Amino acid sequence: MTSSKTISILTAVHAPAAHHLHEAYKSLLAQELPEGWDWQWVVQEDGETEDVHPHVPDDARVSFGQGRAGRAAMARMLGLARARGEVIKVLDADDQLPLGALARDIAALEGRADIGWVTSRVLDLLPDGSTAGFEGDPPAGELARGSVLDYWRTHDFRASVHPATLAVRRELLLAVGGWMALPASEDTGLLLALSAVSAGWFNAETGLLYRKWPGQVTSDATHTDPTEREARMAVIAERAAALAATGWTYSPAAGV
């Protein structure tokens, strides 16, 4: 029997992180989805090297593509062209999904037609294999429209939920223009745009193992350069404010 619905997991990858793909794939294989659902893994290389494809699994559910290097936002947008799912799930190449993560995302979106996107609790995955959590997660359940954006504005541009855990209805992702064309924080820009126009959901069970390692993009000194950070935060804030000012509230055309 062919599954009638698909969740597309979208992974942007560059050569230094390609060796982590096999662990991300193992975490996908361990997922159990609700009846009538299947997953597709869209792996998009940020660049056109010969270093990534050897690490991509030989699986009919996996779609691999390449394109001109332009960092994660551009790679994800190019990969989105091959994603066929009603729901788009982000998974960075060096991260892993805990058991049940996809099923919980789907359940939240199927359970509430007015919910446009879902995030989850995160655990850092440390080099020795141990994990570390965070304090200050919001209560499980609905994230009212604008609540994540308001928190970000008043907490030194730090969101109350992690954008790397995002699952979003495809039509809403396209409606807000996808990931921002920024060298970093492109996923935060998307999250805040979503918050500006739609209610979301927070799953208190762990939805992502976020790998901490020296080669990750966010460990680079340029990521915290104050001049660039100020520019990123300014344009993210302006985009979200402009969306909120339209008064438009997302209403799904049809449930997933």
Side-chain angles (χ1 to χ4, degrees):
M1 178 178 176
T2 302
S3 295
S4 59
K5 297 177 183 177
T6 300
I7 181 168
S8 292
I9 298 90
L10 186 55
T11 296
V13 59
H14 66 328
H19 64 286
H20 289 303
L21 286 172
H22 72 284
E23 292 187 68
Y25 178 60
K26 284 174 60 178
S27 77
L28 273 174
L29 291 179
Q31 300 296 309
E32 294 185 6
L33 300 189
E35 183 177 357
W37 282 84
D38 201 353
W39 57 259
Q40 172 203 22
W41 192 20
V42 177
V43 179
Q44 180 71 29
E45 181 181 355
D46 179 29
E48 299 173 291
T49 73
E50 298 180 358
D51 301 324
V52 173
H53 192 240
H55 297 278
V56 177
D58 183 12
D59 186 323
R61 296 169 294 180
V62 180
S63 171
F64 175 68
Q66 297 175 302
R68 287 181 287 172
R71 303 189 76 89
M74 192 167 80
R76 291 192 191 109
M77 292 302 289
L78 287 174
L80 186 60
R82 303 194 313 281
R84 63 176 185 271
E86 297 91 336
V87 177
I88 306 299
K89 171 71 173 178
V90 175
L91 178 62
D92 288 346
D94 49 359
D95 294 340
Q96 299 173 38
L97 296 173
L99 293 176
L102 297 184
R104 290 188 289 272
D105 289 340
I106 291 169
L109 293 171
E110 286 196 312
R112 288 277 300 272
D114 59 323
I115 295 297
W117 50 277
V118 182
T119 56
S120 307
R121 183 171 185 254
V122 173
L123 291 179
D124 276 350
L125 178 60
L126 304 177
D128 64 1
S130 63
T131 58
F134 301 87
E135 298 294 331
D137 284 338
E142 181 180 348
L143 297 167
R145 177 189 176 210
S147 61
V148 174
L149 175 58
D150 290 342
Y151 184 98
W152 179 83
R153 285 169 169 158
T154 57
H155 288 77
D156 191 31
F157 306 126
R158 298 185 183 278
S160 55
V161 295
H162 204 303
T165 68
L166 181 68
V168 58
R169 297 184 196 270
R170 180 192 183 94
E171 60 186 11
L172 175 57
L173 173 64
L174 292 169
V176 300
W179 290 270
M180 293 188 73
L182 293 170
S185 307
E186 76 292 331
D187 51 358
T188 298
L190 171 58
L191 174 67
L192 299 180
L194 295 172
S195 177
V197 300
S198 171
W201 190 267
F202 179 72
N203 283 321
E205 294 183 70
T206 302
L208 186 72
L209 298 177
Y210 183 80
R211 187 186 301 274
K212 306 291 282 189
W213 63 292
Q216 67 188 137
V217 173
T218 52
S219 69
D220 193 286
T222 58
H223 185 73
T224 55
D225 174 79
T227 301
E228 183 190 285
R229 182 176 186 267
E230 182 179 352
R232 296 198 316 262
M233 298 307 112
V235 74
I236 287 171
E238 191 171 358
R239 179 202 196 190
L243 282 168
T246 67
W248 175 67
T249 302
Y250 171 71
S251 179
V256 298

